[in-house]
Amino acid sequence: MPAWRTPSPSCAACASVSRSSTLAGRGKLVKADIDRNPRLAQRFEVQAVPTLLILDKGKPVARRAGAAPAGTLRSWVEQVAAGRRDSERG
């Protein structure tokens, strides 16, 4: 879940990650404008914009704050997903 503030040019990288075919069907990208949803920002302790959270059943399992190129973000998501799959296998 990317937390962003209007306007946030750094969220263009988040958008390109959401369109990535390598991630298709494996999760959902949800953007939350923290200016319009301050309680959500407080709930997830968002202190920097942008902040990307990976949630599992509503609970954060990974967090990344700050802008980064789309490829870097995509790699981060892939690494977290791979780690989650490995831990589920036991």
Side-chain angles (χ1 to χ4, degrees):
M1 174 187 83
W4 57 286
R5 176 170 276 138
T6 306
S8 178
S10 59
C11 280
C14 298
S16 70
V17 171
S18 70
R19 293 188 300 265
S20 170
S21 61
T22 61
L23 302 176
R26 296 184 15 210
K28 182 188 296 186
L29 180 71
V30 179
K31 284 175 66 171
D33 182 337
I34 63 170
D35 289 330
R36 292 185 181 176
N37 301 287
R39 283 196 262 189
L40 193 61
Q42 185 177 25
R43 175 182 170 193
F44 291 109
E45 301 174 353
V46 173
Q47 297 183 4
V49 178
T51 293
L52 279 77
L53 299 167
I54 296 181
L55 307 176
D56 185 8
K57 298 176 184 152
K59 302 215 188 278
V61 296
R63 169 186 304 264
R64 181 180 179 109
T72 301
L73 296 176
R74 196 173 303 113
S75 295
W76 174 72
V77 170
E78 289 286 342
Q79 288 173 354
V80 171
R84 302 283 304 159
R85 283 191 303 270
D86 290 344
S87 67
E88 289 173 0
R89 290 183 191 144

